[in-house]
Structure formats: structure tokens, C-alpha cells
């Protein structure tokens, strides 16, 4: 196992450090203390070519805006909160409105724009980085001082394990996720439309016109959201289902997972043979097929475009503060928030 850290640049005098993790088989992950951002995951294809399977801007300056939230940890609350408000313990809270009147992905300065404290670690069979951040009471309108720890661990099974822990001194909503865009073709040679996606999910959440769950929990049977046997993403985007069409011809939807740690999410690229198996203890996953990726921004040596990457944002269900029948996203004062998602990279030689 190998760990290398280097000062990449600085923001307002704060050093931006890049950590490169390598296991004993050649897999490498590079991440930054800025936004806990993953900028590279090098894994082999069926011919043993190690290539980057995540989207990353070519210029660091692009991350200062980062409208697509490339590679970053999202918080305090991933997804949208309708009308940027919620009530908790009979008190009303107003959050920063950063998407029309709604609150998206933690607001104006969400966790994706935080410079985290970061420290690398290396053991015989694993190497990683631990990120720490204190989100202070009132940040973006949220209550409570929340101490958040995010750990990226790479092992010798070609697995990246992301674990999240947090504790707050007041009750507060908290839904953390990672917003990495995957493209298993390697170095974004192709878009994701030939990728196959399989998800063990019987139900999904339809969205309203603001891309916020309506509250309905709908059976996937007979819909383009039935991924239990797998579909190519090209098949999905060509669907005429209104839910597929109005979000930009693709997914931008939460799926309710049937299982945990049973290979519940599998993304496969037949041409490269690369397979990504995602397992999580979270109740759901937001699948976003990059329908609104900006055109023409320099990423992975190419110009970004629609469908260049897919996000598999394992998390609590979005806007849960307004839907008591969804699993709760409230972290009670003094309780420990704990969540783990594993990204296992494999090669299929079929
Ligand atoms: C768009 O609706 C999508 C979000 O789900 C995504 O996270 C964001 O782009 C990057 O707003």
C-alpha cells in the first residue's frame, strides 16, 4: 500500500492537498481536502489497462464553482429541501435558497466547498484519508454544531469504502453522500449510454416539476425504473415515460433499495469489462445520469457533455423532512450518525 500527499494549490491561503492512495495491485485513488473531492480512480479494464473511471475537471479553478458537484461529499443534506424550510421540535427553520426557492445539496456553501482537515493513514492491507469538519450552529440555516468525519479507505480487493460519522449538539437533519460521476469506459473515452445498470429495488420516488419527491413510493414494475434484471442506459433515456423525459431524458431519481450489502447496485461496461458493485447501509440511492452536465467544460481531457458520467448517490431519501413516511433524516443531539458505502471495482472477461 502507498500513500502520497502533495500540496496542489491554495484557496485564500488555505493549502489544497492531494492524497494519492495506491494498493498492491495498481489501483489508485486521488482525492483532495477540498470537498473530500475524488478526482481520480484508476482501475484496470479486461486488457489490464489502468484508466480513470471518474469525471474530474482539467482545471482546478473549475472546482471553485463546480455546478455539477463533481466528486464531492454533499451535506448537510443531500438533495433538495422544498421551499428551503422545515419544522423540527415545533420550531421552524429557514435554509439558504440556492435553487429558486428550494435548498439543494447543502446550500450556498455546502460540504462540497469546505476545506476539510485531512490526514492520511496506511496499514498493511488498507490505505486511506480521514476528513474532519465542524459545521457550526446556524450554517446555511441548520441547527446545531455538527462534527463530521468522512473516511476513504482503499483495500487490496480493489474496493473503496466511504464511511461517514457525525455527532451534533442539537437535533438536526443530516443526509450525507458522495457525488462522484462514474464512467467505466476509462478516461471518458465514451459516454455511459452503453453501460448496463442493475439495481435491487422494487420501488422508486416520482418527482415533481422541481425534481423533488412527490411523496409517492411507486412500484417499478412495468416502468423504465425496473432495473432488477438490468438495462442499458441508452434504453432508459429513450423511454417516453414522463418521469424520464421531464428530468432531461434520464434518471435523476431516488430508488428505494431492497437490500443492503447484497450487491444491490451493479454498473457494467461491456466494452471495457469494468464492473462497479456498490453496497450500502443506506435506504436509498439517487441515480443521476448526468442529464444536465454542462457542455464544453474540460474534463478528463475531453469536453463535458450530457451522459458523460453517472452518479450513484447512496443516501436517505431526499426531502425526508417533509415526508414522515420516509426513513427519518434527523440526527438527534448526542446520537452518532453512521453510514458506509462500498464501491468494489471488478473486471468481467465474458
Ligand atoms: C441537477 O437535478 C440534478 C441534481 O440531482 C444533481 O445533483 C445536480 O444537477 C448536480 O441539479
Amino acid at each position: 500500500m502507498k500513500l502520497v500527499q502533495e500540496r496542489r494549490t491554495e484557496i485564500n491561503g488555505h493549502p489544497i492537498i492531494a492524497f494519492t492512495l495506491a494498493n498492491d495491485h495498481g489501483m489508485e485513488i486521488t482525492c483532495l481536502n477540498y470537498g473530500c473531492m475524488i478526482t481520480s480512480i484508476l482501475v484496470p479494464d479486461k486488457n489490464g489497462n489502468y484508466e480513470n473511471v471518474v469525471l474530474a475537471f482539467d482545471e482546478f479553478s473549475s472546482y471553485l464553482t463546480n455546478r455539477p458537484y463533481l466528486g464531492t461529499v454533499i451535506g448537510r443534506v443531500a438533495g433538495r429541501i422544498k421551499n428551503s424550510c422545515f419544522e423540527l421540535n415545533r420550531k421552524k427553520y429557514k435554509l439558504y435558497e440556492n435553487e429558486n426557492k428550494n435548498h439543494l445539496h447543502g446550500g450556498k456553501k455546502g460540504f462540497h466547498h469546505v476545506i476539510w482537515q485531512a490526514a492520511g493513514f496506511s496499514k498493511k492491507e488498507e490505505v486511506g484519508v480521514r476528513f474532519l469538519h465542524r459545521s457550526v450552529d446556524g450554517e446555511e440555516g441548520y441547527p446545531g454544531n455538527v462534527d463530521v468525519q468522512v473516511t476513504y479507505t482503499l483495500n487490496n480487493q480493489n474496493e473503496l469504502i466511504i464511511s461517514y460519522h457525525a455527532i451534533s449538539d442539537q437535533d438536526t437533519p443530516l443526509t450525507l453522500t458522495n457525488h462522484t460521476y462514474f464512467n467505466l469506459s476509462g478516461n471518458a473515452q465514451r459516454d455511459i449510454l452503453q453501460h448496463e445498470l442493475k439495481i435491487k429495488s422494487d420501488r422508486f420516488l416520482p418527482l415533481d416539476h422541481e425534481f423533488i419527491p412527490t411523496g409517492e413510493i411507486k412500484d417499478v414494475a412495468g416502468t423504465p425504473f425496473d432495473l432488477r434484471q438490468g438495462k442499458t442506459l441508452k434504453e432508459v433515456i429513450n423511454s417516453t415515460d414522463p418521469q424520464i423525459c421531464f428530468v432531461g431524458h434520464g434518471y435523476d431519481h431516488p430508488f428505494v433499495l431492497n437490500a443492503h450489502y447484497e450487491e444491490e447496485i451493479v454498473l457494467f461496461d461491456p466494452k471495457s469489462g469494468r464492473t462497479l458493485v456498490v453496497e450500502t447501509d443506506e435506504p436509498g440511492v439517487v441515480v443521476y445520469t448526468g442529464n444536465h452536465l454542462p457542455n464544453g467544460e474540460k474534463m478528463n481531457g475531453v469536453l463535458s457533455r450530457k451522459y458523460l458520467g453517472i452518479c450513484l448517490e447512496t443516501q436517505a431519501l431526499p426531502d425526508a423532512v417533509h415526508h414522515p413516511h420516509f426513513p427519518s433524516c434527523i440526527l438527534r443531539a448526542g446520537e452518532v450518525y453512521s453510514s458506509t458505502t462500498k464501491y468494489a471495482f471488478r473486471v468481467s472477461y465474458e
Side-chain angles (χ1 to χ4, degrees):
M1 312 305 275
K2 195 166 78 169
L3 164 66
V4 175
Q5 57 187 78
E6 57 154 349
R7 180 189 177 110
R8 185 66 62 83
T9 181
E10 65 174 47
I11 297 177
N12 301 329
H14 298 284
I16 302 304
I17 310 294
F19 296 84
T20 298
L21 316 174
N23 69 11
D24 298 334
H25 308 301
M27 178 173 169
E28 277 191 18
I29 296 173
T30 301
C31 53
L32 308 179
N33 61 337
Y34 183 45
C36 307
M37 191 182 300
I38 296 173
T39 61
S40 173
I41 298 181
L42 300 181
V43 291
D45 67 3
K46 58 190 171 188
N47 301 315
N49 301 313
Y50 281 77
E51 296 164 319
N52 181 14
V53 295
V54 302
L55 297 189
F57 287 119
D58 290 353
E59 307 295 332
F60 180 83
S61 57
S62 301
Y63 285 115
L64 300 177
T65 46
N66 196 1
R67 284 178 296 130
Y69 299 85
L70 283 195
T72 59
V73 160
I74 303 294
R76 285 200 194 185
V77 175
R80 292 168 172 88
I81 294 179
K82 201 165 189 69
N83 298 323
S84 303
C85 66
F86 64 92
E87 186 171 329
L88 181 57
N89 302 330
R90 290 179 301 285
K91 183 176 176 185
K92 295 185 190 303
Y93 292 91
K94 184 65 181 171
L95 302 172
Y96 188 86
E97 297 181 359
N98 62 314
E99 189 183 63
N100 303 317
K101 61 183 187 313
N102 301 318
H103 177 85
L104 171 64
H105 287 346
K108 180 178 184 183
K109 186 178 178 186
F111 289 179
H112 63 295
H113 275 322
V114 164
I115 299 175
W116 294 63
Q117 298 171 54
F121 61 87
S122 182
K123 303 173 185 172
K124 186 174 183 326
E125 286 299 313
E126 61 183 30
V127 63
V129 188
R130 186 154 294 117
F131 303 95
L132 296 171
H133 170 57
R134 163 162 282 209
S135 175
V136 298
D137 182 29
E139 193 169 280
E140 301 297 323
Y142 289 103
N145 294 293
V146 186
D147 289 315
V148 187
Q149 176 180 292
V150 178
T151 306
Y152 291 168
T153 304
L154 170 63
N155 63 27
N156 268 329
Q157 288 71 47
N158 280 12
E159 297 168 340
L160 164 62
I161 295 146
I162 302 183
S163 58
Y164 308 86
H165 292 88
I167 191 162
S168 175
D169 60 8
Q170 293 179 50
D171 295 357
T172 184
L174 191 69
T175 300
L176 304 176
T177 194
N178 183 282
H179 209 290
T180 292
Y181 292 70
F182 297 99
N183 179 324
L184 302 180
S185 68
N187 299 342
Q189 297 163 70
R190 292 174 277 115
D191 63 26
I192 56 168
L193 296 183
Q194 299 311 320
H195 286 33
E196 296 169 10
L197 180 62
K198 184 181 286 189
I199 301 184
K200 292 178 180 172
S201 166
D202 296 339
R203 299 174 299 160
F204 78 102
L205 305 187
L207 304 176
D208 68 17
H209 67 288
E210 294 180 302
F211 296 17
I212 297 176
T214 62
E216 180 189 3
I217 303 178
K218 187 173 179 178
D219 194 307
V220 300
T223 79
F225 295 85
D226 188 348
L227 294 171
R228 293 172 292 191
Q229 305 308 318
K231 286 181 169 50
T232 64
L233 294 171
K234 187 167 186 61
E235 185 184 346
V236 170
I237 68 155
N238 287 333
S239 165
T240 56
D241 182 298
Q243 281 288 320
I244 295 291
C245 295
F246 88 80
V247 298
H249 296 281
Y251 293 139
D252 200 345
H253 295 78
F255 289 73
V256 180
L257 293 171
N258 299 346
H260 299 296
Y261 280 84
E262 289 182 13
E263 301 201 354
E264 53 266 32
I265 304 165
V266 180
L267 182 69
F268 172 54
D269 174 42
K271 186 166 183 180
S272 68
R274 291 191 179 100
T275 302
L276 169 60
V277 179
V278 182
E279 298 184 330
T280 183
D281 54 13
E282 289 287 1
V285 57
V286 170
V287 180
Y288 174 52
T289 45
N291 319 324
H292 302 286
L293 271 171
N295 281 318
E297 295 206 34
K298 290 187 283 184
M299 284 182 198
N300 300 63
V302 301
L303 293 179
S304 62
R305 62 188 189 275
K306 191 171 188 172
Y307 307 134
L308 197 60
I310 180 172
C311 299
L312 302 169
E313 304 161 48
T314 54
Q315 63 186 249
L317 300 182
D319 204 32
V321 288
H322 293 127
H323 298 289
H325 59 300
F326 290 0
S328 172
C329 70
I330 302 300
L331 175 63
R332 296 294 173 189
E335 284 184 356
V336 175
Y337 176 104
S338 176
S339 169
T340 301
T341 294
K342 180 169 74 173
Y343 303 82
F345 293 88
R346 300 175 186 159
V347 178
S348 166
Y349 297 92
E350 65 182 43

